[in-house]
PDB file of all heavy atoms in Angstrom:
ATOM      1  N   ASP A 221     105.787  28.202 146.247  1.00 96.00           N
ATOM      2  CA  ASP A 221     106.194  27.067 147.072  1.00 96.00           C
ATOM      3  C   ASP A 221     106.511  25.823 146.246  1.00 96.00           C
ATOM      4  O   ASP A 221     107.117  24.885 146.773  1.00 96.00           O
ATOM      5  CB  ASP A 221     105.078  26.722 148.086  1.00 96.00           C
ATOM      6  CG  ASP A 221     104.958  27.779 149.174  1.00 96.00           C
ATOM      7  OD1 ASP A 221     105.878  28.632 149.272  1.00 96.00           O
ATOM      8  OD2 ASP A 221     103.955  27.774 149.918  1.00 96.00           O
ATOM      9  N   ASP A 222     106.074  25.800 144.997  1.00 97.00           N
ATOM     10  CA  ASP A 222     106.245  24.598 144.174  1.00 97.00           C
ATOM     11  C   ASP A 222     107.162  24.911 142.980  1.00 97.00           C
ATOM     12  O   ASP A 222     106.776  25.648 142.074  1.00 97.00           O
ATOM     13  CB  ASP A 222     104.860  24.142 143.667  1.00 97.00           C
ATOM     14  CG  ASP A 222     104.931  22.880 142.828  1.00 97.00           C
ATOM     15  OD1 ASP A 222     106.051  22.442 142.482  1.00 97.00           O
ATOM     16  OD2 ASP A 222     103.859  22.343 142.505  1.00 97.00           O
ATOM     17  N   PRO A 223     108.377  24.342 142.978  1.00 96.00           N
ATOM     18  CA  PRO A 223     109.319  24.640 141.878  1.00 96.00           C
ATOM     19  C   PRO A 223     108.730  24.366 140.486  1.00 96.00           C
ATOM     20  O   PRO A 223     109.127  25.008 139.518  1.00 96.00           O
ATOM     21  CB  PRO A 223     110.492  23.701 142.160  1.00 96.00           C
ATOM     22  CG  PRO A 223     110.443  23.465 143.638  1.00 96.00           C
ATOM     23  CD  PRO A 223     108.972  23.457 143.994  1.00 96.00           C
ATOM     24  N   GLU A 224     107.768  23.433 140.412  1.00 96.00           N
ATOM     25  CA  GLU A 224     107.172  23.163 139.095  1.00 96.00           C
ATOM     26  C   GLU A 224     106.148  24.232 138.699  1.00 96.00           C
ATOM     27  O   GLU A 224     105.600  24.197 137.602  1.00 96.00           O
ATOM     28  CB  GLU A 224     106.518  21.768 139.079  1.00 96.00           C
ATOM     29  CG  GLU A 224     107.568  20.673 139.238  1.00 96.00           C
ATOM     30  CD  GLU A 224     107.046  19.281 138.915  1.00 96.00           C
ATOM     31  OE1 GLU A 224     105.837  19.143 138.656  1.00 96.00           O
ATOM     32  OE2 GLU A 224     107.866  18.343 138.913  1.00 96.00           O
ATOM     33  N   LYS A 225     105.853  25.144 139.619  1.00 96.00           N
ATOM     34  CA  LYS A 225     104.936  26.232 139.286  1.00 96.00           C
ATOM     35  C   LYS A 225     105.637  27.594 139.215  1.00 96.00           C
ATOM     36  O   LYS A 225     104.967  28.612 138.980  1.00 96.00           O
ATOM     37  CB  LYS A 225     103.802  26.302 140.312  1.00 96.00           C
ATOM     38  CG  LYS A 225     102.825  25.128 140.244  1.00 96.00           C
ATOM     39  CD  LYS A 225     101.688  25.328 141.244  1.00 96.00           C
ATOM     40  CE  LYS A 225     100.681  24.178 141.207  1.00 96.00           C
ATOM     41  NZ  LYS A 225      99.736  24.273 142.348  1.00 96.00           N
ATOM     42  N   HIS A 226     106.929  27.607 139.436  1.00 96.00           N
ATOM     43  CA  HIS A 226     107.634  28.900 139.414  1.00 96.00           C
ATOM     44  C   HIS A 226     107.435  29.648 138.096  1.00 96.00           C
ATOM     45  O   HIS A 226     107.324  30.863 138.062  1.00 96.00           O
ATOM     46  CB  HIS A 226     109.134  28.690 139.664  1.00 96.00           C
ATOM     47  CG  HIS A 226     109.457  28.455 141.107  1.00 96.00           C
ATOM     48  ND1 HIS A 226     110.658  27.929 141.530  1.00 96.00           N
ATOM     49  CD2 HIS A 226     108.731  28.667 142.234  1.00 96.00           C
ATOM     50  CE1 HIS A 226     110.664  27.842 142.854  1.00 96.00           C
ATOM     51  NE2 HIS A 226     109.504  28.257 143.299  1.00 96.00           N
ATOM     52  N   TRP A 227     107.388  28.883 137.008  1.00 96.00           N
ATOM     53  CA  TRP A 227     107.277  29.519 135.686  1.00 96.00           C
ATOM     54  C   TRP A 227     105.971  30.296 135.542  1.00 96.00           C
ATOM     55  O   TRP A 227     105.871  31.193 134.696  1.00 96.00           O
ATOM     56  CB  TRP A 227     107.390  28.464 134.584  1.00 96.00           C
ATOM     57  CG  TRP A 227     106.258  27.476 134.565  1.00 96.00           C
ATOM     58  CD1 TRP A 227     106.148  26.344 135.321  1.00 96.00           C
ATOM     59  CD2 TRP A 227     105.077  27.546 133.780  1.00 96.00           C
ATOM     60  NE1 TRP A 227     104.967  25.705 135.045  1.00 96.00           N
ATOM     61  CE2 TRP A 227     104.292  26.410 134.102  1.00 96.00           C
ATOM     62  CE3 TRP A 227     104.602  28.446 132.817  1.00 96.00           C
ATOM     63  CZ2 TRP A 227     103.049  26.163 133.504  1.00 96.00           C
ATOM     64  CZ3 TRP A 227     103.376  28.193 132.221  1.00 96.00           C
ATOM     65  CH2 TRP A 227     102.607  27.066 132.563  1.00 96.00           C
ATOM     66  N   LYS A 228     104.960  29.938 136.363  1.00 95.00           N
ATOM     67  CA  LYS A 228     103.684  30.649 136.265  1.00 95.00           C
ATOM     68  C   LYS A 228     103.718  31.973 137.017  1.00 95.00           C
ATOM     69  O   LYS A 228     102.802  32.787 136.872  1.00 95.00           O
ATOM     70  CB  LYS A 228     102.563  29.799 136.888  1.00 95.00           C
ATOM     71  CG  LYS A 228     102.174  28.576 136.108  1.00 95.00           C
ATOM     72  CD  LYS A 228     100.919  27.963 136.742  1.00 95.00           C
ATOM     73  CE  LYS A 228     100.545  26.673 136.048  1.00 95.00           C
ATOM     74  NZ  LYS A 228      99.390  26.034 136.685  1.00 95.00           N
ATOM     75  N   TYR A 229     104.708  32.153 137.863  1.00 95.00           N
ATOM     76  CA  TYR A 229     104.741  33.323 138.742  1.00 95.00           C
ATOM     77  C   TYR A 229     105.425  34.493 138.043  1.00 95.00           C
ATOM     78  O   TYR A 229     106.471  34.334 137.417  1.00 95.00           O
ATOM     79  CB  TYR A 229     105.488  32.983 140.028  1.00 95.00           C
ATOM     80  CG  TYR A 229     105.531  34.125 141.004  1.00 95.00           C
ATOM     81  CD1 TYR A 229     104.517  34.320 141.939  1.00 95.00           C
ATOM     82  CD2 TYR A 229     106.585  35.039 140.982  1.00 95.00           C
ATOM     83  CE1 TYR A 229     104.544  35.386 142.813  1.00 95.00           C
ATOM     84  CE2 TYR A 229     106.628  36.106 141.849  1.00 95.00           C
ATOM     85  CZ  TYR A 229     105.604  36.275 142.755  1.00 95.00           C
ATOM     86  OH  TYR A 229     105.629  37.342 143.615  1.00 95.00           O
ATOM     87  N   GLU A 230     104.821  35.648 138.178  1.00 94.00           N
ATOM     88  CA  GLU A 230     105.431  36.874 137.648  1.00 94.00           C
ATOM     89  C   GLU A 230     105.540  37.877 138.796  1.00 94.00           C
ATOM     90  O   GLU A 230     104.529  38.192 139.435  1.00 94.00           O
ATOM     91  CB  GLU A 230     104.531  37.506 136.574  1.00 94.00           C
ATOM     92  CG  GLU A 230     104.337  36.689 135.329  1.00 94.00           C
ATOM     93  CD  GLU A 230     105.516  36.762 134.393  1.00 94.00           C
ATOM     94  OE1 GLU A 230     106.432  37.585 134.636  1.00 94.00           O
ATOM     95  OE2 GLU A 230     105.531  35.987 133.431  1.00 94.00           O
ATOM     96  N   PRO A 231     106.744  38.412 139.042  1.00 95.00           N
ATOM     97  CA  PRO A 231     106.847  39.422 140.106  1.00 95.00           C
ATOM     98  C   PRO A 231     105.859  40.576 139.918  1.00 95.00           C
ATOM     99  O   PRO A 231     105.357  41.129 140.904  1.00 95.00           O
ATOM    100  CB  PRO A 231     108.305  39.893 139.988  1.00 95.00           C
ATOM    101  CG  PRO A 231     109.029  38.691 139.478  1.00 95.00           C
ATOM    102  CD  PRO A 231     108.061  38.027 138.520  1.00 95.00           C
ATOM    103  N   ALA A 232     105.530  40.891 138.681  1.00 94.00           N
ATOM    104  CA  ALA A 232     104.581  41.981 138.438  1.00 94.00           C
ATOM    105  C   ALA A 232     103.195  41.673 139.006  1.00 94.00           C
ATOM    106  O   ALA A 232     102.403  42.593 139.255  1.00 94.00           O
ATOM    107  CB  ALA A 232     104.476  42.251 136.936  1.00 94.00           C
ATOM    108  N   ASP A 233     102.889  40.375 139.230  1.00 94.00           N
ATOM    109  CA  ASP A 233     101.583  40.019 139.783  1.00 94.00           C
ATOM    110  C   ASP A 233     101.386  40.668 141.164  1.00 94.00           C
ATOM    111  O   ASP A 233     100.261  41.009 141.543  1.00 94.00           O
ATOM    112  CB  ASP A 233     101.442  38.492 139.926  1.00 94.00           C
ATOM    113  CG  ASP A 233     101.381  37.786 138.566  1.00 94.00           C
ATOM    114  OD1 ASP A 233     101.251  38.476 137.532  1.00 94.00           O
ATOM    115  OD2 ASP A 233     101.472  36.549 138.551  1.00 94.00           O
ATOM    116  N   VAL A 234     102.475  40.796 141.909  1.00 95.00           N
ATOM    117  CA  VAL A 234     102.361  41.386 143.249  1.00 95.00           C
ATOM    118  C   VAL A 234     102.063  42.887 143.144  1.00 95.00           C
ATOM    119  O   VAL A 234     101.291  43.444 143.933  1.00 95.00           O
ATOM    120  CB  VAL A 234     103.645  41.124 144.068  1.00 95.00           C
ATOM    121  CG1 VAL A 234     103.578  41.842 145.426  1.00 95.00           C
ATOM    122  CG2 VAL A 234     103.835  39.628 144.288  1.00 95.00           C
ATOM    123  N   ASP A 235     102.668  43.528 142.145  1.00 94.00           N
ATOM    124  CA  ASP A 235     102.380  44.956 141.938  1.00 94.00           C
ATOM    125  C   ASP A 235     100.907  45.145 141.552  1.00 94.00           C
ATOM    126  O   ASP A 235     100.240  46.071 142.026  1.00 94.00           O
ATOM    127  CB  ASP A 235     103.286  45.520 140.836  1.00 94.00           C
ATOM    128  CG  ASP A 235     104.754  45.262 141.144  1.00 94.00           C
ATOM    129  OD1 ASP A 235     105.153  45.446 142.311  1.00 94.00           O
ATOM    130  OD2 ASP A 235     105.490  44.851 140.222  1.00 94.00           O
ATOM    131  N   THR A 236     100.425  44.272 140.702  1.00 95.00           N
ATOM    132  CA  THR A 236      99.014  44.348 140.317  1.00 95.00           C
ATOM    133  C   THR A 236      98.110  44.087 141.521  1.00 95.00           C
ATOM    134  O   THR A 236      97.085  44.743 141.702  1.00 95.00           O
ATOM    135  CB  THR A 236      98.718  43.325 139.198  1.00 95.00           C
ATOM    136  OG1 THR A 236      99.582  43.605 138.095  1.00 95.00           O
ATOM    137  CG2 THR A 236      97.270  43.419 138.742  1.00 95.00           C
ATOM    138  N   ARG A 237      98.540  43.130 142.336  1.00 96.00           N
ATOM    139  CA  ARG A 237      97.762  42.788 143.535  1.00 96.00           C
ATOM    140  C   ARG A 237      97.619  44.001 144.465  1.00 96.00           C
ATOM    141  O   ARG A 237      96.585  44.170 145.124  1.00 96.00           O
ATOM    142  CB  ARG A 237      98.451  41.632 144.263  1.00 96.00           C
ATOM    143  CG  ARG A 237      97.781  41.210 145.564  1.00 96.00           C
ATOM    144  CD  ARG A 237      98.408  39.911 146.082  1.00 96.00           C
ATOM    145  NE  ARG A 237      98.025  39.634 147.463  1.00 96.00           N
ATOM    146  CZ  ARG A 237      96.851  39.154 147.847  1.00 96.00           C
ATOM    147  NH1 ARG A 237      95.923  38.894 146.933  1.00 96.00           N
ATOM    148  NH2 ARG A 237      96.583  38.938 149.116  1.00 96.00           N
ATOM    149  N   ALA A 238      98.654  44.825 144.491  1.00 94.00           N
ATOM    150  CA  ALA A 238      98.604  46.018 145.356  1.00 94.00           C
ATOM    151  C   ALA A 238      97.512  46.993 144.900  1.00 94.00           C
ATOM    152  O   ALA A 238      97.074  47.847 145.660  1.00 94.00           O
ATOM    153  CB  ALA A 238      99.969  46.710 145.357  1.00 94.00           C
ATOM    154  N   ARG A 239      97.063  46.857 143.653  1.00 95.00           N
ATOM    155  CA  ARG A 239      95.992  47.716 143.136  1.00 95.00           C
ATOM    156  C   ARG A 239      94.664  46.967 143.083  1.00 95.00           C
ATOM    157  O   ARG A 239      93.808  47.280 142.244  1.00 95.00           O
ATOM    158  CB  ARG A 239      96.367  48.217 141.718  1.00 95.00           C
ATOM    159  CG  ARG A 239      97.760  48.799 141.584  1.00 95.00           C
ATOM    160  CD  ARG A 239      97.922  50.063 142.421  1.00 95.00           C
ATOM    161  NE  ARG A 239      96.991  51.111 142.047  1.00 95.00           N
ATOM    162  CZ  ARG A 239      97.269  52.049 141.142  1.00 95.00           C
ATOM    163  NH1 ARG A 239      98.429  52.078 140.546  1.00 95.00           N
ATOM    164  NH2 ARG A 239      96.372  52.985 140.858  1.00 95.00           N
ATOM    165  N   TRP A 240      94.523  45.951 143.917  1.00 96.00           N
ATOM    166  CA  TRP A 240      93.348  45.064 143.896  1.00 96.00           C
ATOM    167  C   TRP A 240      92.028  45.841 143.814  1.00 96.00           C
ATOM    168  O   TRP A 240      91.185  45.592 142.948  1.00 96.00           O
ATOM    169  CB  TRP A 240      93.363  44.173 145.136  1.00 96.00           C
ATOM    170  CG  TRP A 240      92.195  43.229 145.215  1.00 96.00           C
ATOM    171  CD1 TRP A 240      90.984  43.474 145.795  1.00 96.00           C
ATOM    172  CD2 TRP A 240      92.123  41.910 144.675  1.00 96.00           C
ATOM    173  NE1 TRP A 240      90.157  42.374 145.669  1.00 96.00           N
ATOM    174  CE2 TRP A 240      90.844  41.398 144.984  1.00 96.00           C
ATOM    175  CE3 TRP A 240      93.020  41.093 143.974  1.00 96.00           C
ATOM    176  CZ2 TRP A 240      90.436  40.118 144.613  1.00 96.00           C
ATOM    177  CZ3 TRP A 240      92.613  39.826 143.607  1.00 96.00           C
ATOM    178  CH2 TRP A 240      91.338  39.346 143.913  1.00 96.00           C
ATOM    179  N   ALA A 241      91.841  46.784 144.725  1.00 95.00           N
ATOM    180  CA  ALA A 241      90.546  47.469 144.799  1.00 95.00           C
ATOM    181  C   ALA A 241      90.288  48.280 143.528  1.00 95.00           C
ATOM    182  O   ALA A 241      89.146  48.364 143.050  1.00 95.00           O
ATOM    183  CB  ALA A 241      90.492  48.368 146.032  1.00 95.00           C
ATOM    184  N   ASP A 242      91.346  48.862 142.981  1.00 96.00           N
ATOM    185  CA  ASP A 242      91.168  49.627 141.745  1.00 96.00           C
ATOM    186  C   ASP A 242      90.767  48.713 140.585  1.00 96.00           C
ATOM    187  O   ASP A 242      89.938  49.077 139.752  1.00 96.00           O
ATOM    188  CB  ASP A 242      92.462  50.358 141.394  1.00 96.00           C
ATOM    189  CG  ASP A 242      92.850  51.377 142.466  1.00 96.00           C
ATOM    190  OD1 ASP A 242      91.938  52.042 142.993  1.00 96.00           O
ATOM    191  OD2 ASP A 242      94.040  51.480 142.780  1.00 96.00           O
ATOM    192  N   TYR A 243      91.391  47.542 140.557  1.00 97.00           N
ATOM    193  CA  TYR A 243      91.011  46.595 139.500  1.00 97.00           C
ATOM    194  C   TYR A 243      89.581  46.081 139.697  1.00 97.00           C
ATOM    195  O   TYR A 243      88.838  45.914 138.726  1.00 97.00           O
ATOM    196  CB  TYR A 243      92.010  45.422 139.425  1.00 97.00           C
ATOM    197  CG  TYR A 243      93.196  45.754 138.532  1.00 97.00           C
ATOM    198  CD1 TYR A 243      94.424  46.107 139.061  1.00 97.00           C
ATOM    199  CD2 TYR A 243      93.061  45.740 137.145  1.00 97.00           C
ATOM    200  CE1 TYR A 243      95.498  46.435 138.239  1.00 97.00           C
ATOM    201  CE2 TYR A 243      94.126  46.056 136.317  1.00 97.00           C
ATOM    202  CZ  TYR A 243      95.345  46.405 136.866  1.00 97.00           C
ATOM    203  OH  TYR A 243      96.389  46.740 136.043  1.00 97.00           O
ATOM    204  N   GLN A 244      89.215  45.835 140.942  1.00 97.00           N
ATOM    205  CA  GLN A 244      87.834  45.386 141.185  1.00 97.00           C
ATOM    206  C   GLN A 244      86.837  46.455 140.719  1.00 97.00           C
ATOM    207  O   GLN A 244      85.811  46.146 140.112  1.00 97.00           O
ATOM    208  CB  GLN A 244      87.619  45.084 142.672  1.00 97.00           C
ATOM    209  CG  GLN A 244      88.402  43.881 143.178  1.00 97.00           C
ATOM    210  CD  GLN A 244      87.879  42.561 142.646  1.00 97.00           C
ATOM    211  OE1 GLN A 244      86.712  42.235 142.825  1.00 97.00           O
ATOM    212  NE2 GLN A 244      88.732  41.795 141.981  1.00 97.00           N
ATOM    213  N   ALA A 245      87.169  47.712 140.992  1.00 96.00           N
ATOM    214  CA  ALA A 245      86.275  48.797 140.573  1.00 96.00           C
ATOM    215  C   ALA A 245      86.221  48.893 139.045  1.00 96.00           C
ATOM    216  O   ALA A 245      85.146  49.108 138.454  1.00 96.00           O
ATOM    217  CB  ALA A 245      86.749  50.127 141.171  1.00 96.00           C
ATOM    218  N   ALA A 246      87.374  48.719 138.422  1.00 97.00           N
ATOM    219  CA  ALA A 246      87.422  48.775 136.959  1.00 97.00           C
ATOM    220  C   ALA A 246      86.621  47.614 136.355  1.00 97.00           C
ATOM    221  O   ALA A 246      85.885  47.788 135.369  1.00 97.00           O
ATOM    222  CB  ALA A 246      88.878  48.728 136.476  1.00 97.00           C
ATOM    223  N   TYR A 247      86.768  46.439 136.954  1.00 97.00           N
ATOM    224  CA  TYR A 247      85.982  45.289 136.492  1.00 97.00           C
ATOM    225  C   TYR A 247      84.491  45.553 136.672  1.00 97.00           C
ATOM    226  O   TYR A 247      83.679  45.298 135.775  1.00 97.00           O
ATOM    227  CB  TYR A 247      86.374  44.008 137.237  1.00 97.00           C
ATOM    228  CG  TYR A 247      87.351  43.152 136.482  1.00 97.00           C
ATOM    229  CD1 TYR A 247      88.625  42.916 136.966  1.00 97.00           C
ATOM    230  CD2 TYR A 247      86.991  42.586 135.258  1.00 97.00           C
ATOM    231  CE1 TYR A 247      89.524  42.133 136.261  1.00 97.00           C
ATOM    232  CE2 TYR A 247      87.888  41.800 134.547  1.00 97.00           C
ATOM    233  CZ  TYR A 247      89.160  41.578 135.053  1.00 97.00           C
ATOM    234  OH  TYR A 247      90.034  40.806 134.346  1.00 97.00           O
ATOM    235  N   ALA A 248      84.121  46.037 137.855  1.00 96.00           N
ATOM    236  CA  ALA A 248      82.695  46.232 138.146  1.00 96.00           C
ATOM    237  C   ALA A 248      82.070  47.158 137.104  1.00 96.00           C
ATOM    238  O   ALA A 248      80.969  46.888 136.584  1.00 96.00           O
ATOM    239  CB  ALA A 248      82.530  46.797 139.553  1.00 96.00           C
TER     240      ALA A 248
END
Side-chain angles (χ1 to χ4, degrees):
Chain A
D221 289 348
D222 181 351
E224 295 193 355
K225 291 183 180 170
H226 282 164
W227 66 276
K228 289 188 184 177
Y229 182 88
E230 295 282 351
D233 292 350
V234 175
D235 305 317
T236 302
R237 178 171 167 77
R239 311 296 300 269
W240 180 271
D242 297 321
Y243 273 102
Q244 293 290 303
Y247 263 116

